[in-house]
Amino acid sequence: MKPHTALFAVGRRLLSGRGAPRTVRAIGRSFLSMVVLCGALALPAVVAPVPVQAAPLPRFSMQDSATCTPVAILAFRGSGEANLAPGVSALEGAPTLYPRSGRVTNGWEGPTLARLVDALGGVEPESGWPAGFSIGQVPVLGVGGSDEAGYTAVPIQARTTIFDDMIDSAAHGATYAERVMRDFAATQPVGCRTRYIAIGYSQGAMAARTLAQALPGQVSAIMTFGDPYQQPAGAGNEREIAGQGIIRWWMGEQQRTRTDGFYNFTGYKSALCHPRDPVCSYSWLWGLGALLTVPEPHLNYLEGLEGTIKARELAEVAAALWAGDRPAGPVAPSPTPRDGIADASAPHAAPVPLPALNSATTGLVGQTMLLGAESGLPLGAAVHYEYDTTGDGTFDRASDSPLLEMVFQSPGEHTVTVRMSAPDLGTITLTRTITILERAVPAPASSAASDLGRGCRGDPMV
């Protein structure tokens, strides 16, 4: 059976209501949502992500600087999006030149966010911006990865585990992004505290959110597009404000509450969701129709005028952070000068985060969660992290990274302790209790699942 024939058959069967209501609901949660997402993204086969701890650090386009870089942008591409250079899978990427601005990136921002990066080249300076600030001076650091390491941006395939795969991939992406940040910090003067703006499209929005939850002291702003985790009426939502992300729809209520912990992030938040985009605004009623159509609203983010407007917003956020301001909001498309910024002649020092042990988790057995330990020292400082992951008083894991990926295999409360030590810090010990939920019994797979093949439409997302 061809993929489109299978999609039509599944949609017709579900619409007919045949079978017990319990079965229909189960299929709706575990299979239908997956198929709608597959129809939306139409991507190749999934390759399972692997831990990134063993991956080499990328050095491409990161040059030593005698002065502190106040602001940098971390870019997380969408599901299945490749490097902009065809065939490139190396973590360091490949040189990608944006002619309008002369900006060079490593290409790992992917084709959708590339529209935003390109539009930055057309942003004219504002009179209210800090003296000496230029958006062209703000580096864009694509978070790279291949089939074997880094942020793989796991492609979409019709399979019952696809949402779990995406959640795991997002956690891996946040972990690897921290390595990119530390690598960038190594190019900066000692003591430099760079503020990061995380931008993410689709699955990349999940990765950006995960990083902001785990290391809120390092991430000062976040802009997402087509977020599968979107909370209806969440802070920062734009356009389809009441939309609910398809993965959030798929979750149970308690799991949603944990995922919604992102909205406690106090930095700048902007989440653009197009009307009728089933990825960030899924509805059972009309979502079935997405089985039989191509939902272009998820594929055309940042095209034309929209890209121009969001590029100016991004530049405004960067300017405010460069000057030590904290932007609130989403920024209006036609911003007015901010009080006090016009008189700034140099970037203000970034605030020092308080020591904390944060968690970014959906709170479900078997899913990757992320712990983030913040020492208060700049990234790149020689901090040693030791973890007691079982609550028995034994520190069983050690790392030079403030992030730790964990997978709990049993429900209930789990106590995790981190011990941070450094010459300029001494020793700080913090403890956090994490509640993990039991996984529901999976729904039986539909016989049509094997007929969906790879990609649903058979072509990669562009």
Side-chain angles (χ1 to χ4, degrees):
M1 184 181 292
K2 294 181 179 180
H4 284 93
T5 306
L7 287 170
F8 182 79
V10 173
R12 184 175 54 200
R13 189 158 57 246
L14 290 173
L15 282 168
S16 69
R18 290 198 296 270
R22 176 180 174 275
T23 302
V24 172
R25 287 197 301 271
I27 292 175
R29 291 287 181 195
S30 68
F31 175 69
L32 175 61
S33 58
M34 169 196 66
V35 176
V36 172
L37 185 58
C38 189
L41 301 185
L43 297 173
V46 170
V47 179
V50 299
V52 303
Q53 280 78 1
L57 297 178
R59 299 294 303 179
F60 174 75
S61 77
M62 295 189 183
Q63 300 181 7
D64 290 344
S65 174
T67 58
C68 180
T69 302
V71 183
I73 298 169
L74 288 166
F76 297 86
R77 66 198 187 282
S79 302
E81 289 191 318
N83 192 281
L84 294 176
V88 170
S89 60
L91 287 169
E92 63 269 20
T96 301
L97 173 66
Y98 287 84
R100 281 208 287 176
S101 62
R103 183 190 301 277
V104 177
T105 71
N106 63 9
W108 279 120
E109 59 271 25
T112 302
L113 292 180
R115 301 166 189 161
L116 179 63
V117 178
D118 179 63
L120 287 174
V123 175
E124 296 294 332
E126 284 282 330
S127 60
W129 286 0
F133 171 80
S134 168
I135 188 59
Q137 297 173 342
V138 178
V140 176
L141 309 175
V143 182
S146 65
D147 296 346
E148 299 178 353
Y151 170 46
T152 59
V154 59
I156 303 302
Q157 183 189 28
R159 57 191 289 171
T160 55
T161 62
I162 186 57
F163 287 163
D164 285 307
D165 294 339
M166 291 176 67
I167 291 169
D168 289 347
S169 175
H172 298 325
T175 300
Y176 185 65
E178 186 275 329
R179 293 178 69 90
V180 172
M181 294 159 70
R182 274 192 291 142
D183 195 44
F184 183 73
T187 70
Q188 302 296 299
V190 175
C192 176
R193 294 181 183 272
T194 300
R195 294 175 168 185
Y196 288 92
I197 304 171
I199 61 174
Y201 163 62
S202 195
Q203 185 183 143
M206 298 165 58
R209 286 179 50 149
T210 301
L211 179 65
Q213 278 187 272
L215 294 177
Q218 305 297 334
V219 179
S220 296
I222 181 170
M223 294 175 63
T224 62
F225 309 91
D227 177 12
Y229 280 161
Q230 177 166 298
Q231 178 192 57
N237 287 8
E238 299 179 52
R239 297 286 299 278
E240 195 69 14
I241 294 174
Q244 176 168 236
I246 190 169
I247 294 185
R248 189 182 186 279
W249 171 87
W250 166 77
M251 293 174 172
E253 193 59 41
Q254 288 181 298
Q255 197 181 4
R256 290 173 186 161
T257 300
R258 285 157 176 77
T259 304
D260 291 345
F262 160 75
Y263 292 95
N264 295 324
F265 173 66
T266 59
Y268 179 89
K269 294 186 287 287
S270 170
L272 177 61
C273 178
H274 284 170
R276 292 286 177 171
D277 176 354
V279 175
C280 58
S281 181
Y282 185 78
S283 165
W284 173 263
L285 293 176
W286 67 265
L288 284 171
L291 290 170
L292 310 176
T293 61
V294 179
E296 293 298 332
H298 190 69
L299 305 179
N300 59 12
Y301 280 95
L302 301 168
E303 291 183 348
L305 181 60
E306 180 176 273
T308 301
I309 292 173
K310 299 306 285 187
R312 174 157 293 281
E313 176 183 338
L314 178 56
E316 277 289 303
V317 172
L321 292 173
W322 195 93
D325 193 13
R326 170 173 284 188
V331 179
S334 299
T336 56
R338 301 176 185 276
D339 293 340
I341 293 183
D343 297 329
S345 58
H348 292 189
V352 177
L354 296 175
L357 179 57
N358 309 302
S359 68
T361 175
T362 58
L364 197 64
V365 165
Q367 282 181 351
T368 303
M369 65 159 292
L370 205 58
L371 287 169
E374 296 192 291
S375 66
L377 296 179
L379 278 178
V383 181
H384 185 60
Y385 302 87
E386 298 171 281
Y387 285 92
D388 169 12
T389 62
T390 60
D392 63 357
T394 301
F395 288 89
D396 51 281
R397 299 194 193 183
S399 173
D400 61 351
S401 169
L403 294 183
L404 177 68
E405 293 184 10
M406 294 192 65
V407 178
F408 290 102
Q409 300 296 350
S410 60
E413 291 190 346
H414 298 264
T415 300
V416 179
T417 299
V418 63
R419 184 165 63 197
M420 300 176 280
S421 56
D424 296 333
L425 182 69
T427 300
I428 295 177
T429 302
L430 300 171
T431 298
R432 188 179 186 95
T433 300
I434 300 163
T435 302
I436 301 297
L437 305 172
E438 181 64 88
R439 183 181 291 271
V441 177
S446 167
S447 61
S450 61
D451 297 327
L452 291 173
R454 50 181 287 174
C456 297
R457 268 169 39 192
D459 57 338
M461 180 169 59
V462 294

